[in-house]
């Protein structure tokens, strides 16, 4: 962390970036770090290519996050919650920062190309979320953790632990969460917006996915699918898919779950989850498909179309005539 602190302190203008289709950890970490650096007098700018989903727009400061092209002339670019440059949606610009030694990253995923490209980093796999690492970082920087900063970072921790239900919820996670609440983090507001408010489209997608669920491999594997036509039929947005795979993963006896979704025709996203106590490493499965993630939660994107055969759901390549 020492080299990262040094690189930050030598910079004036800093851009903070996270991954495409940002989840709660990406949004919370990005806001928490941006607000912290701004408080310390840096010109800090946040960029999320796909913007902030409605479910996270209760966080103060979300409107300051940019969705435009990432500037190329900042003193430092910090990537959060993404192990690979391409995952940000700004791959070429990220690699340009790396070439001039102005790239850093903070992440809890297995190492990707940023471990080779970045000049400095804060990377730990045994923490619940990138938000935990941002808390460590801003403490070292001397940030005064305000209500807004605390709420943003607790959002990241809450979402990546499944509301403190997943096995990645350590004692240290709970202690850090308690400290953020002492500093004004609004847990009730987080729970209300993330866990207690679901859109009609989300509930309809859950119903469709449950109806199509195929269980195989002796009841240990569950697979379902949602097509682009399904998304259009219920007027769903990308954010309405948040949490659908987690609902499927609650089936008794299932060790791992795969949800195939087609947000854009020809673009298939696969989301893996495993049950507590499962020995399956879904990150390894995702890497075979060109994706990545954690042993318990991972994903990939491939071209093709979803079809249903005798053996269950599958992704078929497009035929070139």
């Amino acid at each position: 962390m020492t080299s990262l602190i040094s690189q930050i302190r030598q910079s004036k203008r800093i851009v903070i970036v996270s991954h495409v289709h940002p989840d709660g950890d990406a949004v919370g970490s990005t806001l928490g770090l941006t607000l912290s650096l701004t408080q310390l007098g840096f010109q800090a700018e946040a960029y999320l290519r796909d913007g902030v989903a409605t479910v996270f727009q209760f966080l103060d400061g979300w409107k300051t996050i940019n969705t435009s092209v990432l500037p190329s002339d900042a003193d430092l670019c910090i990537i959060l919650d993404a192990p690979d440059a391409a995952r940000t949606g700004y791959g070429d610009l990220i690699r340009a920062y790396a070439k001039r030694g102005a790239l850093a990253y903070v992440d809890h995923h297995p190492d990707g190309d940023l471990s080779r490209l970045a000049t400095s980093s804060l990377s730990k796999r045994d923490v619940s979320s990138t938000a935990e690492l941002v808390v460590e970082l801003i403490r070292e920087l001397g940030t005064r953790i305000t209500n807004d900063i605390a709420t943003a970072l607790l959002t990241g921790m809450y979402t990546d632990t499944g509301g403190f239900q997943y096995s990645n919820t350590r004692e240290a996670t709970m202690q850090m969460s308690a400290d953020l609440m002492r500093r004004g983090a609004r847990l009730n507001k987080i729970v209300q917006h993330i866990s207690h408010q679901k859109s009609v489209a989300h509930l309809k997608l859950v119903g469709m996915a449950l109806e199509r669920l195929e269980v195989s491999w002796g009841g240990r594997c569950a697979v379902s699918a949602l097509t682009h036509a399904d998304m259009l039929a219920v007027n769903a947005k990308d954010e309405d898919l948040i949490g659908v795979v987690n609902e499927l993963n609650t089936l008794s006896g299932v060790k791992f779950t795969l949800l195939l979704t087609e947000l854009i025709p020809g673009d298939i996203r696969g989301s893996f989850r495993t049950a507590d106590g499962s020995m399956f490493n879904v990150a390894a499965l995702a890497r075979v498909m060109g994706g990545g993630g954690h042993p318990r939660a991972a994903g990939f994107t491939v071209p093709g179309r979803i079809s249903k055969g005798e053996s269950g759901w599958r992704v078929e390549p497009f035929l070139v005539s």
Side-chain angles (χ1 to χ4, degrees):
M1 188 193 299
T2 303
S3 59
L4 175 58
I5 294 290
S6 176
Q7 196 168 17
I8 290 173
R9 287 178 173 160
Q10 292 172 19
S11 304
K12 292 183 179 179
R13 184 186 181 194
I14 301 173
V15 292
I16 298 97
V17 185
S18 192
H19 55 76
V20 294
H21 310 300
D23 57 8
D25 193 21
V27 175
S29 297
T30 298
L31 269 177
L33 183 57
T34 303
L35 292 169
S36 298
L37 293 176
T38 300
Q39 178 196 121
L40 295 172
F42 296 95
Q43 183 184 343
E45 305 165 19
Y47 288 81
L48 294 175
R49 195 201 66 176
D50 293 332
V52 178
T54 304
V55 67
F56 304 121
Q57 290 180 7
F58 69 93
L59 293 170
D60 291 329
W62 75 268
K63 290 183 179 180
T64 65
I65 293 178
N66 299 282
T67 57
S68 55
V69 175
L70 185 72
S72 59
D73 56 348
D75 301 314
L76 178 63
C77 176
I78 303 177
I79 311 296
L80 300 179
D81 202 40
D84 298 291
R87 184 85 172 102
T88 66
Y90 299 113
D92 290 341
L93 288 166
I94 298 302
R95 285 183 279 273
Y97 273 104
K99 286 181 180 178
R100 59 185 179 91
L103 182 66
Y105 79 101
V106 179
D107 191 27
H108 69 133
H109 295 92
D111 290 341
D113 64 5
L114 289 180
S115 64
R116 302 186 300 275
L117 294 173
T119 305
S120 62
S121 66
L122 175 56
S123 177
K124 295 180 183 179
R125 298 186 190 181
D126 62 343
V127 300
S128 72
S129 56
T130 295
E132 272 201 47
L133 296 176
V134 173
V135 172
E136 292 183 23
L137 176 61
I138 65 175
R139 282 174 174 171
E140 289 294 318
L141 287 168
T143 300
R144 180 179 62 83
I145 299 179
T146 63
N147 294 353
D148 293 343
I149 293 172
T151 302
L153 293 172
L154 188 59
T155 297
M157 295 166 64
Y158 180 87
T159 53
D160 256 26
T161 59
F164 306 113
Q165 298 178 69
Y166 296 163
S167 58
N168 62 346
T169 307
R170 310 170 301 147
E171 179 182 351
T173 305
M174 301 307 295
Q175 291 174 342
M176 187 176 287
S177 300
D179 182 64
L180 290 174
M181 291 185 68
R182 282 193 293 271
R183 297 173 186 274
R186 298 177 283 274
L187 179 60
N188 60 333
K189 193 173 184 179
I190 295 170
V191 173
Q192 176 188 355
H193 283 269
I194 294 175
S195 298
H196 292 171
Q197 292 185 5
K198 305 294 184 183
S199 68
V200 171
H202 170 84
L203 295 175
K204 287 182 177 180
L205 291 176
V206 171
M208 288 178 176
L210 286 170
E211 185 177 1
R212 297 171 185 175
L213 197 66
E214 294 281 334
V215 180
S216 60
W217 206 10
R220 292 177 291 177
C221 172
V223 181
S224 191
L226 294 167
T227 67
H228 181 62
D230 296 328
M231 299 290 288
L232 293 177
V234 299
N235 196 28
K237 302 176 183 177
D238 187 359
E239 63 193 69
D240 294 313
L241 284 166
I242 295 173
V244 173
V245 68
N246 297 328
E247 295 285 348
L248 305 182
N249 199 46
T250 61
L251 185 64
S252 177
V254 167
K255 299 302 181 184
F256 73 95
T257 302
L258 169 62
L259 176 64
L260 299 170
T261 56
E262 184 186 29
L263 288 130
I264 302 170
D267 188 17
I268 310 302
R269 185 192 304 177
S271 298
F272 283 113
R273 294 294 185 275
T274 65
D276 274 336
S278 172
M279 299 301 291
F280 289 99
N281 182 347
V282 292
L285 292 175
R287 282 195 291 273
V288 172
M289 304 298 293
H294 299 288
R296 292 198 61 239
F300 62 88
T301 302
V302 293
R305 66 183 183 88
I306 297 172
S307 70
K308 178 75 178 296
E310 292 183 1
S311 59
W313 293 104
R314 61 188 180 185
V315 176
E316 293 184 346
F318 287 115
L319 297 178
V320 180
S321 58

